[in-house]
Amino acid sequence: MRRLADLVVRWPWVVIGVWVAMAVALPLSMPSLGEMAARNPLVILPSDAPSNVTARMMAEAFEEPASDNLLVVAFIDESGLTPDDEPSYRKLVEALRRDNLDVVAVQDFYTTPQLRQFLTSEDNTTWVLPVSLTGELGTPRGYESFTRVADIIRHNTPDSGVDGSPEVYVTGPAATVADLTVAGEKDRLPIELAIAVMVLAVLLIVYRNVVTMMLPLVTIGASLLIAQALAAGYSLLTGAGVSNQSVVFLSAIMAGAGTDYAVFLISRYHDYLRSGAGYDQAVTRAMISIGKVITASALTVGITFLVMSFAQMGVFRTIGVSAAIGIGVAYLAGVTLLPAILVLAGPRGWVKPRRELTARFWRRSGIRIVRRPVPHLVASVLVLALLAGGATLATFNYDDRKAVADSAPSSVGYAALERHFPISQSIPQYVLVQSPHD
């Protein structure tokens, strides 16, 4: 760390130039994470999962593509469906069967009359039309298929409830995942804005200096651009899947880690300035003393995320690798780019430490803890135990419907469908039976 500090102090412009060059060149030379999500979509389950193995066997046996991307169209008329409603049903079936790009299969009683009793509710108020779509469920390709097919449904069904026509709902797993995707895209901007506001607030309270407050943001911004490009490059070289959640999670983890490392370094830098050290000497001594702390933090967090790459579920595996890359880049920025900026900004008086406001509080707290360690230890353990007890109230499940708002189109469709039709009947599970003889 001493050698690295000497290098940064001696060549600050070179260090900054290297980071600027990477922040410009890497995003230009690599596809974006969004593009890689479309090119290498996330595979939720491993290829040897029993459901995937069975799906491939079904596809080979029946010579049709396997698909878990299921959409359900529900025709509902509370007063009862009549033969006058069948032309609308037939029109939609014909339109869907003409779509060879996004539709894998349509289960309807128009072309297969034997299915009528299974696709009609007992009270004759509901018809269901299961439609299998191309693309794996939860991938960009699957979302594109759903979007185009939903548009076909809108253009080939009458307005719901107009002139006595039945209500038409689009639901099913494909619709639920699409609603989750839309909600995620809407949430991304507020989440990133909230992260920025919280980081700014913390830095403003700690430093009370606009320039000092902006330094961590500069390092976080540069390292985020580079980390996103490297994560996309990793996917490009290895073919690893990319999830849409990776982008948001990468931004959040790098904002937290980058702010953490910056606060460590700048606070120690200010301590040495207050003790009378010169600007360059303060940077060097801060890196030597706090560098090992930042290194240990980055290693433990980075390794933890790397271990997630061994997970079987694709979403954890891809987030783990991208987050580990982000932590590595944030660490390097914290021990090279930020110190180099301090070397240049310090002599100009831009990052002078403000008067300590909390030193007396922390000094008194330390004295009290040293004098009476046992009561403080017991109180701390009780508070932590109380907070940890909240984990016993959590209920974990993999039901995506519970993560979607009741007002979302898929939830509205499920609620309407379940009033008349067993949901397990409209979204079937398949049993494959094979025998060496007929």
Side-chain angles (χ1 to χ4, degrees):
M1 195 57 65
R2 182 183 296 277
R3 292 177 180 177
L4 181 60
D6 291 339
L7 175 67
V8 171
V9 170
R10 183 174 298 180
W11 305 102
W13 283 111
V14 174
V15 174
I16 294 173
V18 170
W19 277 94
V20 170
M22 289 193 297
V24 173
L26 286 176
L28 292 177
S29 59
M30 296 290 181
S32 68
L33 275 179
E35 292 177 29
M36 293 312 303
R39 192 181 305 181
N40 294 334
L42 172 69
V43 178
I44 298 177
L45 293 176
S47 59
D48 59 351
S51 58
N52 285 343
V53 173
T54 305
R56 289 195 298 272
M57 295 169 65
M58 287 176 60
E60 294 172 1
F62 292 92
E63 299 181 350
E64 65 180 25
S67 175
D68 62 350
N69 196 15
L70 183 67
L71 175 151
V72 177
V73 185
F75 291 77
I76 301 178
D77 190 333
E78 300 293 344
S79 61
L81 294 165
T82 67
D84 293 337
D85 298 314
E86 293 192 14
S88 298
Y89 181 89
R90 290 197 300 269
K91 179 183 178 182
L92 177 58
V93 169
E94 291 169 354
L96 292 173
R97 288 191 172 277
R98 287 194 299 267
D99 184 357
N100 297 320
L101 175 65
D102 300 308
V103 175
V104 172
V106 181
Q107 300 179 45
D108 65 277
F109 60 73
Y110 170 53
T111 57
T112 311
Q114 296 91 334
L115 292 176
R116 178 182 284 268
Q117 61 174 319
F118 304 106
L119 301 178
T120 304
S121 63
E122 292 184 0
D123 58 6
N124 198 41
T125 61
T126 306
W127 293 330
V128 294
L129 181 63
V131 183
S132 297
L133 308 178
T134 56
E136 293 286 339
L137 188 65
T139 65
R141 179 67 181 92
Y143 178 67
E144 291 173 2
S145 298
F146 169 81
T147 302
R148 286 193 287 263
V149 171
D151 191 58
I152 291 174
I153 294 170
R154 280 192 298 270
H155 285 87
N156 287 275
T157 53
D159 293 335
S160 296
V162 176
D163 297 329
S165 59
E167 300 276 352
V168 179
Y169 299 93
V170 178
T171 188
T176 298
V177 172
D179 285 340
L180 285 172
T181 302
V182 171
E185 291 175 350
K186 289 181 179 178
D187 289 343
R188 179 179 171 183
L189 181 59
I191 289 173
E192 292 180 343
L193 287 175
I195 291 172
V197 170
M198 292 175 67
V199 169
L200 283 171
V202 169
L203 295 175
L204 185 60
I205 292 171
V206 172
Y207 295 121
R208 305 183 306 283
N209 183 320
V210 175
V211 176
T212 308
M213 179 183 72
M214 294 302 296
L215 294 186
L217 298 182
V218 171
T219 59
I220 291 170
S223 56
L224 181 58
L225 289 174
I226 294 170
Q228 288 180 342
L230 290 177
Y234 171 80
S235 175
L236 184 65
L237 292 176
T238 64
V242 176
S243 66
N244 291 322
Q245 295 91 338
S246 297
V247 182
V248 175
F249 195 81
L250 185 60
S251 301
I253 195 68
M254 291 194 68
T259 303
D260 217 20
Y261 304 154
V263 168
F264 285 163
L265 185 66
I266 295 174
S267 297
R268 188 56 58 90
Y269 170 75
H270 282 170
D271 288 341
Y272 285 120
L273 286 180
R274 291 189 184 99
S275 67
Y279 294 108
D280 290 354
Q281 186 184 23
V283 172
T284 302
R285 293 172 66 181
M287 287 185 63
I288 293 172
S289 62
I290 208 68
K292 56 190 175 184
V293 176
I294 298 176
T295 302
S297 174
L299 279 174
T300 53
V301 176
I303 291 173
T304 300
F305 282 125
L306 277 179
V307 171
M308 289 176 63
S309 63
F310 294 99
Q312 292 294 306
M313 291 191 68
V315 64
F316 298 137
R317 186 167 60 249
T318 58
I319 286 179
V321 174
S322 62
I325 291 173
I327 289 294
V329 175
Y331 163 72
L332 292 176
V335 296
T336 56
L337 177 58
L338 181 57
I341 296 175
L342 289 176
V343 170
L344 299 176
R348 293 168 172 79
W350 295 346
V351 288
K352 284 184 177 180
R354 299 293 188 182
R355 182 174 62 87
E356 282 278 14
L357 298 179
T358 59
R360 181 179 298 178
F361 168 78
W362 293 118
R363 187 179 297 110
R364 290 177 177 176
S365 297
I367 292 171
R368 285 196 300 269
I369 292 171
V370 170
R371 287 177 176 173
R372 304 184 65 188
V374 175
H376 284 86
L377 177 61
V378 172
S380 299
V381 171
L382 289 176
V383 170
L384 291 175
L386 180 63
L387 294 173
T392 61
L393 304 177
T395 302
F396 301 98
N397 69 81
Y398 291 92
D399 185 357
D400 287 336
R401 289 178 57 191
K402 294 187 182 340
V404 179
D406 292 339
S407 59
S410 63
S411 298
V412 173
Y414 272 123
L417 187 61
E418 288 178 320
R419 288 196 295 268
H420 305 283
F421 215 96
I423 200 68
S424 57
Q425 188 172 344
S426 60
I427 304 177
Q429 298 293 315
Y430 295 97
V431 178
L432 178 66
V433 180
Q434 290 187 320
S435 172
H437 55 79
D438 190 350

